[in-house]
Amino acid sequence: MHVEDSNKSLVIVESPAKAKTISKILGRDFQVKASIGHVRDLPKNRLGVNVRKNFEPQYEILREKEPIVKELREAAQDAEKVYLAPDPDREGEAIAWHLSELLDLPKSKLHRIEFNEITKEAVLAAIKSPRQIDKRLVDAQQARRVLDRLVGYKISPLLWRKVNGRSAGRVQSVAVRLICEREQDVTSFEPKEYWSIKASLSKAKAKQTFTAPLYKWKEKRIIAASDKATAQTMTIDSEKEAKAIVKAVENQDFKVSSVTEKSSQRKPQPPFITSTLQREASNALGYPVKKTMQLAQALYEGIELGPDGPTGLITYMRTDSTRVSQQAQDDARAFIEEKYGKDYIPAKPWVYTRKAKNVQDAHEAIRPSYPDKMPDEVKKYLTSDQYKLYKLIWQRFMASQMSPVKLQTTTVEIDAGEAIFRASATEKKFDGFTVVYDRLPKGAAETGDEEPGEGEDAQEEHTDNLPALKKNEELKLKDVNPNQHFTQPPPRYSEATLVKTLEELGIGRPSTYAATVTTIIDRKYVERVNKALVPTKLGQAVNLLLVEHFGNIVDVRFTANMEAKLDQIEEDKVDWHGMLKDFYQPFGETLKKAEENMNKVIILSEHNCPACGQQMAIRSSRFGQFLGCIGYPECKTKIALTKEGTPVPEDRPSEEKCKACGSDMIIRYGRYGDYLACSKEECGEKQPILKTTGVDCPREGCGGAIVEKKSRRGKIFYGCSNYSQNQCTSAYWYSPVISGGPYGKNTCPQCNSILLYKTLKRGDQVQCSSKECTFAELATGKEVHA
């Protein structure tokens, strides 16, 4: 592809994947290279900020990036023009600025370009409309970096001395505080008892029953104990009260007093922004926020789509805006009309706006770059996780451009003496945007914004099997039952709800949410327990000290105010040096007081010292956490901890023999878990513990066996026992079928390759391991098409 006046130009982006996609678009007239992220930063082993010289950052080229910088300098000298094309946000602008400083080129040769999606149209438009580096964005990023460095480098050494903590961070410490305070709410919660009453009813001559909850008693509406009480409401507080009501109504005549029908519609939700994508991926797919962002990054930068080559499938994934370009809206509407029909397009396109004060609205919402690339069409080119996330994004965006769902709700009120029971049923009259959800993912991805009919109760319980009823119709009571309930404590934060709270409070930005969550988990301040974020003893101890001595730093409003000032720097309303000066003076005084008054905290464990019997304390080193005797220095006993925080087990005997010397092998715990080690120290032989499957490696002449293994990211796969020696590459994500088991042979009847057993949501399946073979059947024996 030829671009006028751009012969032999250089384009610099952050990642090789992005470089590959853009190179395909621009063709031979351009050389595209990657900086692999930041090339320059504050030094790792010192503060790197000259506080006395107006907080001047002392940047250094990252050691591992020196060859890359050299390569980029050489390429830039030979290029006619240099286009800096990192991501379109503060971090990307800062990378572009650092590159411009290091390349030291005349301004006429250096150009900044940005694009929200990596498509031919967007990239070529950016090349035609370059701009200068936006110093306001750069200053906002520098201010954040320096601010975080000042907080981290000044408070962290104090924590090391006083509590053996890992570190403190401006945003991460607030996140830990939120989690600790929620934990306090959970543990101090006292449940309250309340009761509900439901009647099982039927038409006079019908067998099928339906359920109607008690709605009013003596003209007062029944509510849960957790709901806000008014003069017109009541809570059934005890079993005695519930049984008295049951006794009063069970001999009454049940008669329909009203039947109302109301129409409503459910609008689609807006397309994803960063935080809502992270939440939905967590709820529907179970993905941690870090994984979601890694997958989204790959989809944005480009995926190899066979003959189409590397293609960016989604727009930029760090955004707080629900705005959609006119072109994208038009493309989506055209696709919807062709695929589903005119009825599925609203008369006027939806306009989605956000009312939050801190919305920057710099980029579009997260959407597919090509609406016509349906998830199932590109599925074969994506990993399973990439496909699931792309499908989530595609469905949400397409739904956001479609007609609302039309609903009709029938509400029946039934009199029984002084009681009124109510039953409701909703019928979908027009499926609208839900047509794009071929199967509801867990977490209700198809939900929209409902507009209830006038007077409709937000707490309404909908009833299955509600028959057609008429006013004054008498009903037959089958049963009436009281049900006991207890109020529930506030839920612990999950990664998704923590991100939602941080966003609502104005803490952090789309580019920082994932890093914040990952950091507090990695530093053992918080742990995941069944998806919930629970503070560790270390996290609680650190939080108590920070709240006591650095109340401002971990104050929610203070942190949100700092975020607002960073936004004002970007808007050229605040000078970043002045902002840092205003922060640092009181911070220095607080730091001095903390150093004088902060007491050392010992975090006791549940374990006793095996040497002297005293309690062991949880301590930290640069290698991780360990248990140390509180009798130190008299008792120097230390016990290493596993990744799960439990004491490392002692060596255990095994039935294996050493392949090197024939001695007994023992089971020993190491950095990556249990492994086999020779009992003779002078031998030094080590072997992984292999969990066999009973299936021989199918590769001719290999002689190995298929065993269970773990990838570098901890995911289980099945590979040849010679895999680690690079002798064999046989590997599968699913367990192979055992020969002689319920399926007889373990080889495919069509091509003789190994059969794999897949556990899927739609049913267990036996499938051929060969990508070229289509054989598959359900575990029941019914043939399916893979």
Side-chain angles (χ1 to χ4, degrees):
M1 177 188 307
H2 178 71
V3 181
E4 189 176 350
D5 296 325
S6 295
N7 190 38
K8 296 181 181 178
S9 291
L10 173 67
V11 178
I12 303 176
V13 296
E14 298 103 321
S15 77
K18 190 174 175 182
K20 195 173 182 181
T21 307
I22 293 171
S23 183
K24 180 200 79 169
I25 292 170
L26 294 177
R28 297 180 206 172
D29 291 338
F30 290 81
Q31 186 180 21
V32 186
K33 289 186 174 290
S35 68
I36 324 290
H38 278 277
V39 293
R40 198 169 71 157
D41 198 3
L42 298 175
K44 292 182 178 180
N45 55 357
R46 57 190 174 88
L47 180 62
V49 177
N50 192 333
V51 175
R52 294 181 180 178
K53 198 174 178 181
N54 211 15
F55 300 93
E56 181 181 315
Q58 298 167 332
Y59 294 116
E60 294 179 352
I61 297 175
L62 300 171
R63 183 173 296 178
E64 66 273 17
K65 297 297 179 67
E66 288 175 356
I68 295 173
V69 171
K70 182 182 178 183
E71 181 185 342
L72 293 176
R73 277 174 172 160
E74 291 173 354
Q77 291 299 324
D78 296 336
E80 182 180 329
K81 292 181 180 179
V82 176
Y83 294 93
L84 303 175
D87 288 341
D89 57 12
R90 286 180 192 164
E91 214 66 31
E93 203 72 17
I95 292 174
W97 176 71
H98 284 297
L99 285 168
S100 70
E101 294 282 301
L102 293 172
L103 297 178
D104 193 25
L105 297 171
K107 285 188 177 181
S108 59
K109 187 175 178 178
L110 205 59
H111 306 278
R112 170 74 166 119
I113 60 171
E114 63 174 332
F115 28 80
N116 188 56
E117 56 186 339
I118 306 177
T119 61
K120 180 180 178 181
E121 294 77 11
V123 173
L124 292 180
I127 291 287
K128 291 177 181 177
S129 306
R131 61 171 175 81
Q132 295 298 310
I133 290 171
D134 190 336
K135 201 59 170 59
R136 297 173 303 173
L137 282 172
V138 176
D139 288 345
Q141 191 276 342
Q142 287 193 101
R144 177 189 291 279
R145 187 73 186 94
V146 172
L147 189 62
D148 290 345
R149 175 56 66 98
L150 291 172
V151 172
Y153 259 66
K154 295 294 183 178
I155 298 181
S156 296
L158 188 58
L159 291 179
W160 270 105
R161 296 196 300 271
K162 301 297 184 180
V163 75
N164 278 306
R166 294 289 182 93
S167 66
R170 188 177 56 84
V171 175
Q172 76 184 44
S173 297
V174 178
V176 172
R177 180 178 186 174
L178 290 171
I179 293 166
C180 288
E181 289 177 348
R182 177 57 59 87
E183 188 66 18
Q184 179 63 30
D185 292 340
V186 171
T187 55
S188 64
F189 181 81
E190 294 183 6
K192 291 182 179 180
E193 178 186 13
Y194 69 99
W195 291 72
S196 65
I197 296 171
K198 291 183 179 180
S200 181
L201 303 162
S202 69
K203 292 171 73 75
K205 296 181 180 180
K207 292 183 179 180
Q208 188 176 33
T209 63
F210 65 94
T211 301
L214 178 64
Y215 177 62
K216 284 185 178 180
W217 174 246
K218 295 183 177 179
E219 299 185 353
K220 289 193 174 184
R221 188 162 61 88
I222 306 299
I223 60 170
S226 56
D227 294 337
K228 187 177 181 179
T230 68
Q232 289 76 42
T233 63
M234 66 171 286
T235 301
I236 304 173
D237 296 316
S238 66
E239 183 179 15
K240 181 180 178 181
E241 187 178 3
K243 285 185 174 179
I245 295 173
V246 169
K247 187 175 181 181
V249 302
E250 59 188 356
N251 293 320
Q252 298 289 334
D253 292 332
F254 282 72
K255 182 184 289 187
V256 177
S257 58
S258 70
V259 178
T260 57
E261 291 186 350
K262 292 182 180 178
S263 297
S264 62
Q265 61 180 18
R266 194 180 345 145
K267 294 178 182 178
Q269 290 183 323
F272 285 127
I273 59 175
T274 302
S275 59
T276 54
L277 175 63
Q278 290 171 345
R279 293 205 299 272
E280 191 65 25
S282 176
N283 295 334
L285 306 175
Y287 292 168
V289 293
K290 181 179 179 180
K291 178 177 181 177
T292 297
M293 295 311 289
Q294 287 172 337
L295 293 169
Q297 184 90 32
L299 293 172
Y300 164 69
E301 291 182 344
I303 302 291
E304 285 282 353
L305 298 186
D308 291 341
T311 305
L313 288 176
I314 66 169
T315 54
Y316 191 54
M317 63 285 161
R318 295 185 183 94
T319 178
D320 59 6
S321 173
T322 52
R323 176 171 52 82
V324 176
S325 71
Q326 184 67 51
Q327 184 62 52
Q329 217 165 43
D330 293 343
D331 290 347
R333 288 171 68 85
F335 177 84
I336 292 164
E337 182 176 353
E338 182 181 345
K339 177 75 177 175
Y340 302 107
K342 282 188 176 181
D343 290 343
Y344 289 87
I345 306 174
K348 291 183 179 179
W350 299 113
V351 177
Y352 299 104
T353 57
R354 298 188 64 220
K355 296 178 181 179
K357 293 180 181 178
N358 59 341
V359 174
Q360 293 178 296
D361 199 42
H363 315 298
E364 281 189 67
I366 303 169
R367 60 170 175 79
S369 301
Y370 306 95
D372 60 336
K373 290 192 184 297
M374 298 180 68
D376 286 345
E377 291 178 8
V378 298
K379 183 177 181 180
K380 60 184 176 181
Y381 303 111
L382 307 177
T383 66
S384 174
D385 289 337
Q386 287 172 343
Y387 165 72
K388 290 174 184 175
L389 191 71
Y390 179 65
K391 185 176 183 180
L392 205 67
I393 293 168
W394 188 90
Q395 287 178 326
R396 176 71 164 244
F397 173 69
M398 299 308 293
S400 75
Q401 304 303 308
M402 297 179 76
S403 300
V405 176
K406 293 181 180 178
L407 305 168
Q408 182 163 304
T409 300
T410 302
T411 302
V412 178
E413 290 192 356
I414 302 148
D415 286 352
E418 293 184 286
I420 297 176
F421 291 80
R422 176 186 266 194
S424 293
T426 298
E427 181 185 358
K428 189 184 286 187
K429 291 293 187 180
F430 176 63
D431 54 3
F433 69 87
T434 63
V435 72
V436 301
Y437 296 98
D438 52 356
R439 185 173 60 215
L440 259 182
K442 185 180 177 183
E446 124 174 347
T447 56
D449 298 319
E450 189 164 355
E451 293 183 342
E454 185 181 352
E456 188 173 337
D457 186 2
Q459 300 288 330
E460 193 69 54
E461 180 175 334
H462 290 264
T463 304
D464 293 330
N465 305 319
L466 184 66
L469 298 172
K470 295 179 180 179
K471 186 176 180 179
N472 297 322
E473 183 175 352
E474 293 190 357
L475 302 175
K476 185 163 56 177
L477 176 66
K478 298 287 186 180
D479 205 357
V480 57
N481 291 308
N483 298 287
Q484 186 183 38
H485 308 277
F486 291 94
T487 55
Q488 298 297 310
R492 290 182 172 93
Y493 286 112
S494 65
E495 290 192 19
T497 56
L498 179 62
V499 166
K500 182 175 186 286
T501 301
L502 291 173
E503 182 188 36
E504 289 173 345
L505 294 173
I507 297 171
R509 285 294 177 264
S511 59
T512 65
Y513 298 140
T516 299
V517 174
T518 301
T519 298
I520 62 177
I521 293 172
D522 289 348
R523 288 177 177 162
K524 308 296 183 187
Y525 293 159
V526 171
E527 60 185 352
R528 291 191 194 95
V529 179
N530 297 326
K531 289 191 177 181
L533 297 178
V534 180
T536 61
K537 288 184 177 181
L538 175 63
Q540 289 175 323
V542 168
N543 179 63
L544 284 173
L545 286 179
L546 290 178
V547 170
E548 181 181 354
H549 297 283
F550 295 94
N552 277 354
I553 304 302
V554 292
D555 179 74
V556 168
R557 281 178 294 184
F558 175 83
T559 307
N561 185 47
M562 296 305 291
E563 292 290 349
K565 285 186 177 179
L566 292 171
D567 290 344
Q568 289 174 338
I569 292 169
E570 183 177 324
E571 295 163 4
D572 208 18
K573 294 178 180 178
V574 171
D575 173 64
W576 72 283
H577 296 99
M579 184 271 275
L580 291 172
K581 184 178 179 181
D582 292 342
F583 163 79
Y584 192 72
Q585 186 174 351
F587 173 66
E589 294 171 1
T590 302
L591 187 68
K592 186 177 179 181
K593 289 179 182 178
E595 288 174 338
E596 294 171 354
N597 301 321
M598 188 183 286
N599 295 318
K600 190 172 179 67
V601 175
I602 297 175
I603 306 168
L604 296 176
S605 75
E606 300 170 355
H607 304 280
N608 292 327
C609 177
C612 70
Q614 296 187 77
Q615 270 191 287
M616 303 288 281
I618 301 173
R619 304 188 188 279
S620 298
S621 74
R622 60 193 180 95
F623 301 108
Q625 290 186 322
F626 66 94
L627 295 180
C629 181
I630 61 171
Y632 181 86
E634 287 76 18
C635 179
K636 295 182 172 60
T637 303
K638 295 180 182 178
I639 299 176
L641 294 176
T642 66
K643 292 179 180 179
E644 292 73 34
T646 58
V648 169
E650 296 181 356
D651 292 346
R652 291 142 285 161
S654 78
E655 299 176 357
E656 302 291 329
K657 296 291 183 182
C658 178
K659 294 180 180 179
C661 69
S663 301
D664 291 335
M665 301 289 280
I666 56 175
I667 301 172
R668 180 171 289 166
Y669 186 88
R671 184 178 178 185
Y672 301 105
D674 286 340
Y675 67 96
L676 293 173
C678 183
S679 56
K680 285 190 175 181
E681 295 294 334
E682 59 269 23
C683 176
E685 178 71 10
K686 297 177 183 178
Q687 297 172 19
I689 295 177
L690 302 177
K691 187 175 179 181
T692 61
T693 62
V695 176
D696 294 332
C697 178
R699 191 170 181 177
E700 190 175 347
C702 173
I706 301 299
V707 297
E708 186 179 298
K709 291 176 171 287
K710 276 190 178 181
S711 69
R712 284 179 293 179
R713 294 185 178 176
K715 188 174 180 180
I716 291 175
F717 72 99
Y718 300 86
C720 180
S721 54
N722 294 327
Y723 187 88
S724 57
Q725 285 82 35
N726 295 320
Q727 296 175 14
C728 182
T729 57
S730 296
Y732 316 96
W733 283 119
Y734 294 92
S735 173
V737 172
I738 302 171
S739 183
Y743 303 99
K745 290 177 64 179
N746 70 336
T747 53
C748 175
Q750 293 182 10
C751 70
N752 218 34
S753 298
I754 273 188
L755 290 174
L756 303 178
Y757 192 95
K758 292 188 173 184
T759 301
L760 305 172
K761 287 183 179 179
R762 61 179 178 271
D764 292 355
Q765 183 175 303
V766 176
Q767 183 176 313
C768 182
S769 59
S770 173
K771 292 182 179 179
E772 287 74 35
C773 183
T774 59
F775 174 79
E777 67 176 25
L778 296 175
T780 56
K782 184 179 178 181
E783 188 171 338
V784 296
H785 296 287

